[in-house]
């Protein structure tokens, strides 16, 4: 959101404020130690910088800030904690949950098990599929989820169209990057199961803008 405001603002003082907020929000994202959103946001920003029509010097400055940020990041204790989590946590047992969900899908191919009827139970703890695409398939089956996946195919086609044929428009590339970020993040989480959730609304508005 801050990046949208930064690009769309015509006043230097506002641009500076939104740039500071953007750096702060990215810093707070790093503090979460949540790997899926961190990786997704980095990929989304990379896509934006690569394909957007912003001036080359801005791209170079952004890359320098990113490199300096990585260098500072490596010098902190947080880096050691982050690396330790990556090496020790792995997929946080998502592979086990995904295998269980795939087994349920194979047993309920056409109509699924129904919304709200799937959970992976480990002792006293209950987990979701941690993957929105598996969630749709296991809940709705192939028949119930076909419309959703057709909509996702439309969204991907809009992304490709805007990146390759509308690349002169900054906001189109930015919203394409946003959709990529959200769809990539949802490989590891279930945040689009309800259209009224903030992430779902942001995705819907982004796709609507691209359309």
């Amino acid at each position: 959101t801050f990046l949208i405001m930064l690009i769309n603002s015509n006043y230097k003082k506002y641009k500076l404020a939104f740039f500071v907020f953007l750096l702060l929000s990215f810093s707070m994202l790093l503090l979460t130690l949540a790997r899926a959103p961190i990786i997704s946001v980095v990929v989304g920003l990379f896509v934006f910088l690569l394909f957007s029509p912003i001036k080359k010097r801005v791209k170079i400055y952004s890359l320098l800030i990113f490199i300096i940020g990585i260098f500072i990041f490596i010098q902190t204790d947080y880096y050691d904690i982050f690396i330790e989590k990556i090496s020790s946590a792995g997929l946080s047992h998502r592979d086990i949950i995904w295998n269980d969900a795939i087994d349920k899908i194979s047993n309920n191919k056409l109509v699924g098990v129904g919304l709200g009827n799937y959970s992976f139970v480990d002792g006293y703890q209950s987990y979701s599929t941690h993957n929105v695409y598996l969630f749709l398939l296991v809940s709705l089956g192939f028949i119930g989820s076909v419309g959703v996946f057709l909509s996702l195919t439309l969204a991907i086609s809009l992304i490709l169209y805007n990146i390759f044929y509308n690349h002169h428009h900054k906001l189109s590339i930015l919203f394409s990057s946003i959709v990529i970020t959200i769809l990539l993040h949802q490989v590891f989480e279930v945040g689009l199961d309800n259209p009224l959730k903030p992430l779902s609304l942001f995705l819907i508005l982004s796709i609507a803008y691209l359309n």
Side-chain angles (χ1 to χ4, degrees), residues 134-175:
L134 287 178
F135 166 79
L136 291 167
L137 284 171
V138 75
S139 300
L140 305 175
F142 291 110
I143 293 176
S145 60
V146 64
V148 180
F149 282 104
L150 283 175
S151 299
L152 290 174
T153 303
L154 173 62
I156 292 169
S157 67
L158 285 172
I159 292 169
L160 295 175
Y161 175 84
N162 279 279
I163 285 177
F164 293 109
Y165 297 104
N166 199 21
H167 52 79
H168 59 280
H169 198 280
K170 290 180 188 176
L171 283 179
S172 293
I173 300 300
L174 178 53
F175 277 106

Side-chain angles (χ1 to χ4, degrees), residues 182 194-209:
I182 294 174
N194 185 329
L196 296 180
K197 284 185 177 181
L199 190 66
S200 302
L201 286 172
F202 198 22
L203 178 67
I204 292 169
L205 289 172
S206 300
I207 293 172
Y209 180 90

